């Protein structure tokens, strides 16, 4: 061995040791994902969006402070199943006529559009993308995306399914026995929200060594309105202490359709049972965050938090108020479609409050890109990746967002379509084609119709909305037997 080689040996040993060390590391860290969907949760129901809320959401607020909170985040539809479809596929639900909750067919002056009541197995779900990338995929809670077992989570990309089947509301209520074919009953009186959270925590323990995609779809805060008695009493005392139980809780909405009766809407957040349901959800979110921290996974776990439609304010007990947002679940006004919308990933996303309009169709491409997963060839998305927004690089300016709801909602909402462009929102009613234009920057409550002041903008937005109808092959109201023909966007 030469003298030069002998002198180089210590350096060479360190070099070879480094090569061996690097070879033992994974080529790329795969972030975990926990997606939390809360049923019927309103935009104004969390403190991060509404510091004056009656409800207490310190854990959700802490999550919001750790990531990007979108103040213009939307569900793709004012009711549940279509929005769930949009999250799973990244598509507008109108592409398959999945435009109402998967049993809704209430008539009004006209018959509603035909409804397709399942997410086809041919759809490539976000869970299937993560499953193909080597993730353990697990679903917990409300599914409501298919009428029979062949369409349940196990057939749509999830390795594990706890509680997901056809029904929208918990069939046994929020306390065991649950009457759920995918969830064994617990001890009598066990609470459903806490039970689902316990199932998530035990699954995290089992899969912590490998990348995971967990989709937690709480049944709460959907009816029936039920919560632990001690929490209900807490909020009854709070309402009394704040004097909220002394005034009028309800006021009339405008007549929603010609000849229709006024729909009463809740004006004040003071419903003790609903508040207790919100707290049980918030505590559960906190427990999941604490578990990720204890397992050393919090820094590289993406957490998404959102809802499937606006808060229930005009029907079925009207437990929450969405003011100053107009309407609620089942309505195309902001109260029915604007949602809590939070994405947190401490290792890559700096905390921010973002006003870029975004939609539930965007979760699919966003999470795929954040996880470094190559999109499956031939799979289209209507959504766009929000990664540039999350990283502070782009506002996604110039994008239109669309809604299409050709149904009479159980909550009083009218059939219609919507286009949002910048600060402007065009609403088109499907019974007669009437148009309304609002500037959300100056009129968040959608009280002042400004279509007469902006005829060119209305014409342009209407043209774009109708082009989109054609693109997705949107369906519309149908005549009743021997009844008049409803309006059609093409005049036919």
């Amino acid at each position: 061995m030469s003298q030069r080689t002998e002198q180089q040996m210590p350096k060479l040993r360190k070099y070879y040791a480094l090569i061996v060390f690097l070879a033992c590391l994974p080529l790329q860290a795969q972030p975990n994902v926990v997606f939390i969907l809360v049923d019927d949760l309103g935009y104004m129901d969390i403190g991060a969006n509404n510091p004056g809320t009656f409800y207490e959401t310190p854990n959700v607020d802490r999550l919001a402070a750790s990531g990007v909170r979108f103040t213009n985040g939307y569900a793709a539809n004012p009711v549940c199943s279509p929005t769930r479809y949009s999250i799973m596929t990244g598509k507008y639900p109108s592409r398959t006529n999945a435009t109402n909750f998967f049993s809704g067919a209430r008539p009004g002056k006209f018959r509603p559009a035909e409804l397709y009541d399942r997410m086809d197995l041919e759809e490539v779900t976000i869970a299937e993308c993560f499953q193909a990338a080597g993730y353990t995929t697990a679903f917990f809670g409300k599914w409501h995306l298919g009428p029979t077992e062949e369409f349940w989570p196990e057939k749509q990309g999830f390795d594990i399914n706890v509680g997901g089947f056809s029904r929208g509301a918990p069939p046994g209520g929020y306390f065991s026995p649950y009457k759920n074919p995918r969830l064994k009953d617990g001890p009598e009186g066990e609470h459903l929200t806490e039970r689902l959270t316990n199932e998530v925590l035990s699954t995290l323990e089992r899969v912590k060594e490998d990348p995971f995609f967990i989709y937690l779809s709480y049944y709460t805060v959907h009816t029936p309105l039920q919560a632990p008695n001690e929490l209900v009493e807490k909020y009854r005392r709070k309402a009394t202490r704040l004097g909220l139980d002394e005034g009028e809780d309800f006021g009339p909405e405008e007549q929603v359709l010609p000849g229709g009766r006024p729909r009463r809407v809740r004006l004040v957040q003071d419903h003790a049972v609903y508040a207790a349901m919100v707290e049980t959800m918030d505590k559960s979110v906190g427990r999941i965050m604490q578990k990720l921290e204890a397992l050393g996974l919090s820094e590289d776990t993406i957490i998404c938090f959102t809802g499937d439609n606006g808060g229930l304010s005009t029907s079925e007990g009207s437990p929450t108020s969405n003011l100053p947002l107009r309407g609620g679940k089942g309505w195309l006004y902001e109260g029915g479609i604007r949602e809590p919308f939070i994405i947190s990933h401490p290792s890559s996303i700096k905390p921010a409050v973002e006003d870029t309009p975004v939609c539930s169709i965007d979760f699919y491409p966003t999470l795929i890109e954040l996880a470094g997963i190559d999109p499956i060839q031939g799979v289209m998305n209507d959504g766009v990746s929000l990664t540039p927004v999350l990283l502070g690089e782009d506002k996604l300016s110039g994008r239109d967002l669309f809604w299409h709801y050709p149904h009479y909602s159980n909550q009083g909402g009218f059939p219609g379509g919507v286009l949002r462009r910048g600060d402007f929102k065009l609403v088109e009613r499907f019974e007669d084609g009437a148009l309304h234009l609002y500037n959300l920057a100056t009129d968040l409550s959608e009280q002042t119709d400004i279509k007469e002041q902006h005829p060119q903008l209305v014409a342009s937005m209407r043209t774009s909305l109708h082009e989109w109808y054609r693109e997705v092959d949107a369906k519309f109201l149908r005549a009743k037997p021997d009844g008049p023909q409803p309006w059609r966007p093409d005049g036919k």
Side-chain angles (χ1 to χ4, degrees):
M1 182 180 294
S2 69
Q3 183 178 2
R4 184 179 178 185
T5 303
E6 288 178 345
Q7 290 172 345
Q8 290 179 326
M9 282 303 295
K11 184 176 180 179
L12 290 171
R13 290 192 186 99
K14 291 181 180 179
Y15 176 71
Y16 292 138
L18 178 61
I19 291 176
V20 172
F21 173 74
L22 292 175
C24 293
L25 292 178
L27 294 178
Q28 181 179 0
Q30 292 180 289
N32 306 303
V33 178
V34 175
F35 193 102
I36 302 174
L37 181 66
V38 185
D39 198 358
D40 288 0
L41 185 70
Y43 178 86
M44 300 298 288
D45 288 349
I46 66 170
N49 291 338
N50 177 18
T53 181
F54 178 65
Y55 318 126
E56 298 177 13
T57 58
N59 296 296
V60 173
D61 299 344
R62 180 164 63 94
L63 176 64
S66 74
V68 175
R69 175 172 64 89
F70 290 89
T71 59
N72 285 281
Y74 288 99
N77 192 279
V79 294
C80 60
S81 297
T83 298
R84 294 165 188 273
Y85 171 93
S86 76
I87 295 170
M88 281 288 155
T89 65
K91 298 178 182 179
Y92 283 115
S94 297
R95 288 193 180 276
T96 60
N97 304 326
T99 47
N100 204 5
F101 70 97
F102 282 2
S103 58
R106 186 174 74 84
K109 180 178 179 181
F110 301 101
R111 295 165 62 208
E114 295 178 6
L115 172 66
Y116 197 65
D117 66 349
R118 64 204 64 192
M119 183 172 69
D120 285 331
L121 299 181
E122 289 74 21
E123 295 284 4
V124 179
T125 68
I126 188 172
E128 287 170 324
C129 287
F130 277 95
Q131 192 178 58
Y135 280 66
T136 298
T137 56
F139 182 89
F140 303 84
K142 176 176 173 177
W143 180 244
H144 208 195
L145 283 171
T148 57
E149 189 170 352
E150 65 181 301
F151 297 100
W152 293 357
E154 304 95 316
K155 305 298 177 64
Q156 299 281 19
F158 288 99
D159 303 313
I160 300 167
N161 172 25
V162 179
F165 72 121
S166 304
R167 291 283 295 275
Y174 283 96
F175 297 94
S176 184
Y178 302 118
K179 301 179 182 179
N180 185 319
R182 286 294 183 269
L183 182 66
K184 293 181 179 179
D185 290 335
E188 185 175 354
E190 179 187 63
H191 190 251
L192 177 59
T193 304
E194 183 178 5
R195 167 64 181 280
L196 290 173
T197 304
N198 290 341
E199 295 282 355
V200 170
L201 299 185
S202 62
T203 299
L204 285 172
E205 282 284 358
R206 295 198 306 272
V207 303
K208 60 187 177 184
E209 302 299 331
D210 299 310
F212 54 80
F213 175 78
I214 286 179
Y215 194 105
L216 171 57
S217 176
Y218 283 120
Y219 282 93
T220 201
V221 291
H222 195 287
T223 56
L225 301 174
Q226 299 173 347
N229 289 333
E230 63 274 14
L231 282 181
V232 175
E233 289 303 317
K234 168 188 171 178
Y235 285 99
R236 285 177 178 157
R237 293 191 298 269
K238 181 176 181 177
T240 298
R241 185 173 69 252
L242 297 176
L244 298 176
D245 56 354
E246 298 174 0
E248 175 59 51
D249 284 350
F250 292 91
E253 180 64 81
E254 85 284 355
Q255 289 193 336
V256 298
L257 295 166
R261 64 177 177 83
R263 176 69 64 152
R264 283 163 57 85
V265 59
R266 181 174 284 276
L267 306 177
V268 180
Q269 291 183 343
D270 64 358
H271 196 293
V273 179
Y274 187 85
M277 295 175 77
V278 172
E279 180 168 329
T280 58
M281 175 276 297
D282 181 77
K283 286 182 175 178
S284 290
V285 171
R287 292 177 62 207
I288 292 168
M289 294 168 67
Q290 290 170 3
K291 187 65 172 181
L292 291 170
E293 292 166 4
L295 295 174
L297 299 174
S298 58
E299 281 298 306
D300 209 24
T301 296
I302 302 165
I303 302 180
C304 299
F305 180 91
T306 193
D308 58 351
N309 48 248
L312 184 59
S313 65
T314 61
S315 182
E316 302 159 66
S318 306
T320 195
S321 172
N322 300 308
L323 294 181
L325 305 183
R326 184 177 178 182
K329 178 181 180 179
W331 295 75
L332 289 166
Y333 296 129
E334 292 295 286
I337 56 178
R338 191 178 291 218
E339 276 300 317
F341 200 111
I342 299 164
I343 302 177
S344 173
H345 187 206
S347 68
S348 68
I349 298 173
K350 293 182 179 179
V353 178
E354 179 57 57
D355 63 1
T356 298
V358 296
C359 184
S360 54
I361 57 176
D362 298 327
F363 282 117
Y364 189 125
T366 300
L367 291 174
I368 295 302
E369 183 170 357
L370 285 176
I373 297 173
D374 292 330
I376 297 176
Q377 295 300 311
V379 176
M380 68 84 64
N381 291 149
D382 288 305
V384 300
S385 173
L386 302 178
T387 300
V389 181
L390 296 170
L391 300 180
E393 299 170 353
D394 190 7
K395 292 284 187 180
L396 300 180
S397 59
R399 180 174 67 142
D400 290 341
L401 291 175
F402 302 92
W403 288 263
H404 169 240
Y405 187 65
H407 305 277
Y408 297 90
S409 84
N410 288 351
Q411 297 76 30
F414 54 84
V418 169
L419 183 152
R420 174 160 180 177
R421 175 178 295 170
D423 291 330
F424 292 96
K425 178 177 177 180
L426 185 74
V427 178
E428 184 169 62
R429 292 173 177 250
F430 287 164
E431 286 199 334
D432 56 10
L435 297 169
H436 308 279
L437 182 69
Y438 304 101
N439 185 338
L440 298 177
T442 59
D443 181 25
L444 184 60
S445 299
E446 298 171 274
Q447 295 298 310
T448 304
D449 184 356
I450 58 173
K451 65 177 179 293
E452 300 299 334
Q453 290 89 340
H454 300 275
Q456 292 182 333
L457 178 61
V458 169
S460 172
M461 293 178 71
R462 182 177 184 269
T463 296
S464 296
L465 182 58
H466 288 199
E467 288 175 349
W468 179 79
Y469 292 156
R470 290 190 288 273
E471 177 190 342
V472 300
D473 192 24
K475 301 300 188 293
F476 295 90
L477 299 176
R478 299 170 292 165
K480 292 181 178 179
D482 301 321
Q485 292 295 318
W487 170 87
R488 285 285 189 277
D490 55 9
K492 298 178 181 179

